């Protein structure tokens, strides 16, 4: 007599397990080939990611990284990677790991990490929106300090509400507050759910939430249910609500740092994570896949893609900028012997007969083809200075809307406008000029410093050397605190300012000695709507005139060193990208015959003038 064989349990039961286990899974670690693959992959990728993050931290002073919120980005990436690591080792230790551990990891690490990550990712939209004002010329550019000054004056007369205080916060503080509130709510909800459900602790909680069966069956039932809904809610909120909004708002932003590509890739990568996780848990047909590719791996894939575009892409961009900077330095060295023309206007004339300056035949430049020399000539400081002096509008628009470095061109053009409006008596000797002339010049210079150079007040402080920054602070810091109050806080240094360890050897007490004594009380502040460089002397213009003592270190050349440093920064970063894009646009127009926009036409006109200026040097 034959006895019927017992019916074996099919892998169908694995459909409800977070770790891909079945009721027949033995409670021991799995060390097969699949486990070795996941462990090796986790170790290699963790080493690569950590190395790239260390590299970015060391290069945080680079222009491509200064605008990014690296601390918030790193915090989000670390939390997400911790969850990613727990998933990679989940196949190996899954039969031994309790589901309650996965519950806390899924409910805390992942939501906290994705919240910090998306907060740092939204910095892209803020930077693009804030940089747009630098596309306007100095006499039309809106300054945020006029609005903040009016807000301060309003708060002094009436007690501000929490809405007014929230709107008055900087973007970084407001975003940090929002993320903190969201993470606190998530943590409270998770703790309450854990205390109410008897699924994880049968001794207390709401009756009726218990689970029964063998240890493996209990573990499998713990991986499903309403207790996981808060984590699921955050996944769908970030991936299917906030991410599409970010994608829509960034559709017209095309930057040179790959930030838009990073944002789009990260938003798209998160879309299938939560749906595929649910399908793998509740669809029986996925049970065969879950035996080797556990359900949380679908979320881990999205995290892997996010880490690639958030860490490796900026790393590649920094390396690319370093190569570009090296090539510009080589071109500058080759062109260092070429004497500049004495007359700009002669070079711009098509029929000019200016004699070409001599060049040593031993340099590689002499052996190049005329077209190659032409291309190199446009990447020199002479070409950049010519565009800045003749037609900086297209370069200013490119740096603000594409390169997100508009503060550099804005600073250079603002200083140029300020110096061109200075009275000759002040340029010759500030000490001998009339007090009103000095005070008006100092007020305009103070506004330039606060708007562009101050490490504690400027929204995008220019990247100048530590000694140069400290010299400007010694002249303008006291006056800035007096005029702009709490928005210029002493001791708040910019972490991305390079060369901060170099100590400036100039006198620190120079700011206490005055060229012009304190003036009578200033007129009532009516509000400044635009960054007007020459309006401080007008009557009824509503611009606050600084009435304190003018430091002795102030003169017409106060910004000269900063301008030299910023021009070199533009030459090695923004200018080559601008030239390359304009050349590509012109080539595509020639081949495709497309209609050019006004901005493109202005850009090509600027480059043609620069080429005309440098043509006698290479012909």
């Amino acid at each position: 007599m034959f006895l019927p064989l017992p019916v074996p349990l099919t892998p169908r039961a694995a459909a409800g397990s977070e770790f891909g286990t079945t009721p027949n899974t033995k409670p021991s670690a799995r060390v097969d080939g699949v486990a070795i693959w996941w462990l090796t992959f986790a170790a290699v990728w963790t080493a690569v990611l950590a190395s790239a993050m260390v590299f970015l931290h060391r290069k945080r002073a680079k222009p491509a990284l200064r605008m990014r919120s690296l601390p918030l980005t790193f915090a989000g990436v670390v939390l997400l990677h911790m969850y990613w690591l727990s998933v990679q080792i989940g196949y190996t230790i899954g039969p031994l790991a309790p589901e309650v551990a996965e519950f806390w990891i899924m409910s805390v690490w992942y939501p906290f990490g994705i919240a910090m990550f998306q907060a740092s990712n939204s910095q892209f939209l803020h930077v693009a929106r804030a940089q747009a004002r630098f596309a306007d010329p100095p006499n039309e550019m809106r300054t945020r300090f006029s609005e903040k000054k009016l807000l301060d004056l309003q708060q002094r007369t009436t007690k501000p509400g929490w809405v007014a205080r929230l709107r008055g916060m900087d973007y970084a503080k407001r975003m940090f507050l929002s993320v903190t509130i969201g993470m606190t709510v998530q943590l409270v909800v998770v703790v309450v759910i854990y205390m109410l459900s008897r699924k994880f602790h049968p001794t207390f909680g709401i009756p009726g939430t218990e689970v029964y069966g063998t240890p493996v069956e209990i573990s499998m039932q713990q991986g499903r249910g309403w207790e996981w809904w808060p984590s699921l809610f955050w996944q769908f909120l970030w991936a299917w609500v906030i991410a599409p909004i970010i994608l829509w708002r960034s559709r017209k932003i095309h930057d040179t740092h790959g930030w838009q590509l990073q944002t789009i890739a990260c938003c798209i990568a998160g879309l299938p994570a939560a749906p595929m996780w649910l399908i793998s848990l509740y669809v029986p047909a996925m049970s065969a896949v879950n035996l080797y590719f556990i359900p949380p791996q679908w979320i881990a894939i999205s995290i892997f893609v996010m880490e690639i575009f958030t860490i490796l892409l900026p790393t590649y961009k920094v390396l690319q900028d370093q190569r570009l900077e090296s090539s510009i330095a080589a071109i500058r060295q080759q062109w260092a012997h070429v004497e500049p023309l004495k007359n700009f206007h002669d070079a711009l004339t098509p029929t000019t007969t200016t004699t070409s300056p001599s060049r040593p035949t031993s340099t590689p430049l002499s052996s190049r083809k005329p077209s190659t020399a032409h291309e190199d000539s446009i990447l020199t400081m002479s070409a950049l200075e010519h565009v800045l002096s003749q037609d900086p509008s297209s370069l200013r628009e490119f740096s603000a809307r594409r390169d997100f470095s508009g503060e550099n061109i804005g600073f250079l053009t603002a200083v140029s406008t300020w110096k061109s409006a200075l009275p000759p008596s002040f340029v010759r000797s500030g000490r001998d000029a009339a007090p009103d002339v000095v005070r008006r010049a100092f007020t305009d210079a103070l506004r330039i410093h606060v708007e562009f150079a101050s490490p504690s007040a400027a929204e995008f402080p220019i990247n100048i050397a530590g000694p140069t920054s400290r010299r400007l602070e010694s002249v303008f810091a006291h006056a800035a605190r007096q005029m702009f109050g709490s928005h210029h806080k002493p001791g708040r240094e910019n972490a991305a300012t390079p060369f901060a360890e170099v100590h400036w050897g100039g006198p620190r007490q120079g700011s206490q000695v005055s060229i012009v004594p304190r003036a009578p009380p200033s007129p009532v502040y009516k509000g400044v709507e635009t960054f007007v460089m020459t309006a401080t002397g007008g009557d009824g213009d509503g611009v606050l005139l600084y009435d304190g003592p003018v430091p002795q270190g102030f003169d017409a050349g106060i910004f000269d060193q900063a301008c030299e440093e910023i021009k070199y920064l533009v030459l090695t970063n923004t200018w080559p990208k601008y030239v390359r894009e304009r050349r590509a646009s012109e080539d595509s127009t020639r081949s495709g015959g497309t209609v050019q926009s006004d901005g493109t036409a202005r850009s090509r006109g600027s480059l043609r003038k620069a080429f005309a200026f440098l043509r006698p040097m290479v012909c």
Side-chain angles (χ1 to χ4, degrees), residues 204-224:
F204 61 93
I206 299 178
T209 57
E210 305 90 345
V211 291
Y212 304 96
T214 64
V216 176
E217 293 174 345
I218 292 177
S219 177
M220 293 172 56
Q221 295 182 63
Q222 288 175 341
R224 311 172 66 177

Side-chain angles (χ1 to χ4, degrees), residues 300-331:
I301 290 179
S302 66
I303 295 176
F304 178 68
V305 175
M306 291 179 183
E307 291 174 345
I308 290 177
F309 284 92
T310 305
I311 302 299
L312 295 191
L313 180 60
T315 302
Y316 169 75
K317 288 294 183 179
V318 171
L319 294 175
Q320 191 178 46
D321 291 344
Q322 287 182 344
R323 291 193 298 267
L324 183 62
E325 185 175 352
S326 299
S327 63
I328 295 299
I331 293 175

Side-chain angles (χ1 to χ4, degrees), residues 449 453-456 468-478 488:
H449 171 75
S454 173
S456 58
T468 306
S469 178
R470 284 190 289 272
R471 179 174 180 271
L472 293 178
E473 284 289 286
S474 68
V475 174
F476 295 110
H478 176 74
H488 190 283

Side-chain angles (χ1 to χ4, degrees), residues 424-548:
S425 59
F426 176 77
V427 176
R428 288 193 300 268
S429 176
R431 295 176 180 270
D432 300 335
D436 289 345
V437 172
V438 177
R439 200 173 303 282
R440 292 170 185 174
F442 182 80
T443 301
D444 286 337
L446 176 63
R447 292 174 58 79
I448 295 176
H449 171 75
V450 172
E451 188 69 41
F452 296 103
S454 173
S456 58
E459 187 175 16
F460 300 97
I462 55 176
N463 194 0
I464 55 179
T468 306
S469 178
R470 284 190 289 272
R471 179 174 180 271
L472 293 178
E473 284 289 286
S474 68
V475 174
F476 295 110
H478 176 74
R481 288 193 296 271
Q482 184 176 347
M483 286 193 67
F484 299 99
S486 60
H487 300 294
H488 190 283
K489 300 179 181 180
R492 175 185 160 195
E493 299 298 334
N494 192 297
T497 303
F499 317 117
E501 69 276 6
V502 182
H503 298 286
W504 176 58
R508 289 297 186 91
Q509 287 77 16
S511 60
Q512 305 301 324
V513 182
S514 304
I515 300 177
V516 180
R518 181 178 295 273
S522 58
V524 178
Y525 186 90
K526 300 179 184 178
V528 185
E529 291 300 328
T530 56
F531 193 75
V532 181
M533 298 307 308
T534 59
T536 53
D539 297 333
D541 54 13
V543 179
L544 180 64
L545 189 66
Y546 175 69
D547 58 0

Side-chain angles (χ1 to χ4, degrees), residues 51 95 115 417 460 595:
S51 301
T417 304
F460 300 97
V595 180

Side-chain angles (χ1 to χ4, degrees), residues 380-395:
T380 59
M381 182 66 76
S382 299
L384 172 61
E385 291 177 341
H386 180 73
V387 170
L388 288 174
S389 62
Q390 298 296 321
D391 185 17
S393 58
S394 58
L395 178 60

Side-chain angles (χ1 to χ4, degrees), residues 15 27 49 54 66 75 146 152 154 296 306 351 440 526-527 554 619:
L49 187 67
V54 171
R66 293 181 77 242
S146 61
D152 282 350
Q154 181 182 4
M306 291 179 183
T351 59
R440 292 170 185 174
K526 300 179 184 178
F554 173 71
C619 296

